[in-house]
Amino acid sequence: MTKISRKEFLKAGSLAVASTLLTRFDSFAKPSKPIGLQLYTLRNELGKDVEGTIRKAAEIGYKEVELFGYGNGKFFGKTPKEFAALLKELGLNAPSGHYMTGNTMPNAQGTLTNGWEKAVEDAATIGQKYMVCAFLFPDERKTLDQYKQHIDLFNKAAETCKKSGIQFAYHNHDFEFQPIDGQVPYDLILKGTDPKLVKMELDLYWAAFAGKDPVELFKKDPGRYPLWHIKDMEKSAERAFAEVGTGSIDFQRLFNAQKTAGLKHFFVEQDVAKKNPPLQAIEISFNNLSKLKV
């Protein structure tokens, strides 16, 4: 064995300790999952400058984006290949996108009821792993029979997604938790859809707004919640939208239950930025999320 001096030994030991400390610090400093953004938060800015707006989100530190507004074979006016190139240039992934049923807009292309096969094909082109039904308009959710029709539609749409290696999911608001004729529509969706074909994107704000505990939902249907929407709730009677970390929702408690939920991706969303401009709002949310163990 080669002999080393006491000085060399101490120096090597110090470097090893420093390396270990840095590694540990780094593991806590960086989120274990990329922080994503639902681009709907920046809808007004995107209407003026698509590339510049998405670039600003990337500069804040977001690594993933969830899309909305797909139609007529384009994402924000760009073909799937053009948009995929933009994402690559900015170092972003788009693992998920929002879509509508099309029931109230029969002429729209790229909905669950019109041009869905092409929508799935285009989603696959830009690398999406999830396609999410984003919202049901008031005229679509008046009766239990309507929800039962949606359940059939979701299962059918999910089968098409599966053929392209894409997972279908449903995104909630608060109305799904309001009983109709003694039954809760959200429970109907969970029970009526194939749990392998149809996952849930839980909007944590809207679940809390409806008086539901997301952790209890995770425990009831473990593994069924791979996507989350992260938005905070003002500590006020209005309970308005707020930047993450400035409101009443204990996000660390929810992230502590992510294995039960089956979490894969989460996206910051703030439907309305009341106190700060949207770009500033998403930066506040990003910085506060970065402090959590996610």
Side-chain angles (χ1 to χ4, degrees):
M1 294 178 63
T2 303
K3 292 183 178 180
I4 61 173
S5 68
R6 182 173 180 276
K7 182 178 180 181
E8 291 172 325
F9 175 80
L10 291 174
K11 181 179 180 181
S14 297
L15 289 172
V17 171
S19 176
T20 301
L21 288 174
L22 284 171
T23 300
R24 289 180 179 176
F25 176 78
D26 189 59
S27 67
F28 284 108
K30 294 181 180 179
S32 58
K33 289 183 174 64
I35 297 178
L37 173 69
Q38 165 51 259
L39 289 176
Y40 181 76
T41 309
L42 303 176
R43 57 194 178 280
N44 293 329
E45 290 75 10
L46 287 165
K48 301 171 185 176
D49 181 1
V50 173
E51 294 185 22
T53 299
I54 298 177
R55 185 180 300 277
K56 289 176 181 176
E59 289 172 349
I60 288 171
Y62 287 97
K63 297 299 182 184
E64 296 186 338
V65 291
E66 184 176 49
L67 310 181
F68 77 97
Y70 168 85
N72 298 317
K74 292 188 176 182
F75 298 90
F76 305 108
K78 297 182 180 295
T79 67
K81 289 185 178 180
E82 290 172 341
F83 196 73
L86 173 62
L87 293 175
K88 184 177 181 180
E89 176 191 343
L90 299 177
L92 293 170
N93 291 318
S96 180
H98 274 196
Y99 300 83
M100 308 303 288
T101 66
N103 289 325
T104 61
M105 47 184 79
N107 294 324
Q109 291 287 323
T111 67
L112 274 67
T113 55
N114 194 354
W116 185 240
E117 292 79 6
K118 179 66 164 59
V120 172
E121 179 184 329
D122 289 342
T125 297
I126 64 169
Q128 279 184 215
K129 300 301 180 184
Y130 295 86
M131 297 179 77
V132 184
C133 179
F135 180 71
L136 298 176
F137 287 102
D139 286 343
E140 294 183 274
R141 47 181 162 91
K142 291 182 177 180
T143 68
L144 290 177
D145 282 341
Q146 286 180 309
Y147 274 102
K148 291 174 183 177
Q149 291 171 9
H150 296 323
I151 288 169
D152 291 338
L153 178 62
F154 296 162
N155 282 324
K156 181 180 178 181
E159 287 281 7
T160 303
C161 288
K162 183 180 179 181
K163 294 175 184 178
S164 293
I166 293 175
Q167 177 70 61
F168 185 82
Y170 179 79
H171 169 269
N172 69 282
H173 290 77
D174 64 326
F175 54 77
E176 296 92 342
F177 296 102
Q178 298 168 6
I180 298 177
D181 297 334
Q183 296 190 60
V184 178
Y186 198 73
D187 291 342
L188 288 179
I189 295 172
L190 281 166
K191 294 174 183 177
T193 53
D194 185 324
K196 292 182 179 179
L197 288 176
V198 180
K199 301 296 184 181
M200 310 301 276
E201 177 173 58
L202 192 68
D203 190 303
L204 302 178
Y205 168 93
W206 283 117
F209 193 91
K212 301 298 178 181
D213 180 356
V215 175
E216 293 305 314
L217 293 174
F218 301 154
K219 291 178 180 178
K220 186 178 178 182
D221 289 277
R224 199 148 183 202
Y225 296 89
L227 306 176
W228 295 359
H229 269 193
I230 309 291
K231 66 182 77 166
D232 216 335
M233 182 185 296
E234 271 188 5
K235 299 175 182 178
S236 66
E238 184 185 356
R239 297 188 295 166
F241 305 112
E243 290 79 4
V244 174
T246 68
S248 61
I249 296 178
D250 184 353
F251 289 103
Q252 188 59 71
R253 173 178 175 269
L254 302 182
F255 276 110
N256 290 344
Q258 63 177 284
K259 288 186 178 179
T260 303
L263 180 64
K264 300 298 183 184
H265 305 274
F266 59 90
F267 306 98
V268 168
E269 183 186 38
Q270 192 168 338
D271 305 38
V272 179
K274 187 171 67 174
K275 293 184 178 179
N276 301 290
L279 281 165
Q280 184 178 344
I282 66 168
E283 185 170 7
I284 292 171
S285 292
F286 179 89
N287 290 337
N288 287 335
L289 258 177
S290 297
K291 299 173 185 176
L292 300 180
K293 187 177 180 181
V294 302

